[in-house]
């Protein structure tokens, strides 16, 4: 039980440290404004169809697709598995479906933003669990102490 308590305390300390780090990362990515979506087997056909509808040329197998809002325009980022990257400047009225698809399915900051989001959510879940555990642990310790005193 003491080892569990010790490890749980370490997890709690790491969570407390992760919260400001994750918030800082998410604020940074929010200010840069780039949203990325990984292209995988599930969404590849949908993305290719949306790109072809807007007559945007694809120069290989897509790895990642992204967007960033500009002033009256928006930027489309295409990253390929061979390491090359393309960037397109589109008017706000162009490729609206693609823009909304990336917005609704992508993450601000791409994979790093996704990891920071999940770490932040898990930290906010673990903290109340730890506090509840410590309250119950202290109650148990007081109860055990009272039982020992009654036996004497």
């Amino acid at each position: 039980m003491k080892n569990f308590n010790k490890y749980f305390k370490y997890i709690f300390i790491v969570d407390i440290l992760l919260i400001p780090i994750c918030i800082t990362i998410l604020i940074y990515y929010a200010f840069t404004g780039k949203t990325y979506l990984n292209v995988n087997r599930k969404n590849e056909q949908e993305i290719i169809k949306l790109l072809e509808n807007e007559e945007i040329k694809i120069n290989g197998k897509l790895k990642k697709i992204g967007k960033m809002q500009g002033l009256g325009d928006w930027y489309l980022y295409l990253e390929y598995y061979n390491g090359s990257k393309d960037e397109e400047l589109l008017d706000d009225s162009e490729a609206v479906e693609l823009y909304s698809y990336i917005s609704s399915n992508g993450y601000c900051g791409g994979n790093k933003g996704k990891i920071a989001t999940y770490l932040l959510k898990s930290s906010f879940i673990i903290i109340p669990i730890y506090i509840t555990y410590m309250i119950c642990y202290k109650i148990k310790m007081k109860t055990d102490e009272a039982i020992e005193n009654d036996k004497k």
Side-chain angles (χ1 to χ4, degrees):
M1 187 71 164
K2 291 202 185 246
N3 279 342
F4 180 75
N5 194 16
K6 181 174 81 172
Y7 293 130
F8 209 21
K9 185 184 290 185
Y10 291 146
I11 291 171
F12 177 74
I13 291 169
V14 168
D15 279 347
I16 293 295
L17 294 174
L18 277 177
I19 289 173
I21 293 169
C22 290
I23 289 173
T24 304
I25 289 170
L26 291 173
I27 288 172
Y28 170 75
Y29 285 129
F31 280 122
T32 59
K34 291 182 181 178
T35 301
Y36 289 101
L37 173 64
N38 289 332
V39 178
N40 54 34
R41 281 183 269 149
K42 294 178 184 176
N43 63 10
E44 183 176 25
Q45 293 304 318
E46 180 73 23
I47 291 171
I48 290 173
K49 185 177 85 172
L50 290 170
L51 288 169
E52 288 174 351
N53 286 347
E54 299 300 325
E55 298 176 5
I56 297 170
K57 294 179 184 177
I58 304 170
N59 298 325
K61 184 161 173 60
L62 284 171
K63 178 180 181 182
K64 219 189 309 192
I65 187 170
K67 67 146 183 96
M68 183 175 85
Q69 183 63 44
L71 296 173
D73 298 320
W74 67 280
Y75 294 93
L76 173 66
Y77 301 104
L78 302 171
E79 188 174 319
Y80 303 97
Y81 276 103
N82 63 9
S84 65
K85 297 178 181 181
D86 286 335
E87 183 178 318
E88 300 258 346
L89 179 63
L90 301 168
D91 191 69
D92 274 344
S93 61
E94 293 180 284
V96 176
E97 289 179 16
L98 179 62
Y99 183 87
S100 63
Y101 186 81
I102 296 170
S103 296
S104 62
N105 297 312
Y107 281 91
C108 192
N111 288 336
K112 293 175 186 172
K114 187 177 187 178
I115 291 169
T117 301
Y118 286 138
L119 283 175
L120 188 63
K121 287 178 182 179
S122 66
S123 294
F124 282 127
I125 291 170
I126 290 175
I127 289 173
I129 292 171
Y130 177 77
I131 292 171
T132 305
Y133 168 77
M134 287 308 296
I135 290 170
C136 293
Y137 183 76
K138 295 294 181 184
I139 291 171
K140 181 189 176 305
M141 295 302 286
K142 292 287 184 184
T143 305
D144 289 347
E145 186 180 298
I147 292 171
E148 283 295 318
N149 288 338
D150 286 344
K151 286 183 182 178
K152 291 180 184 179

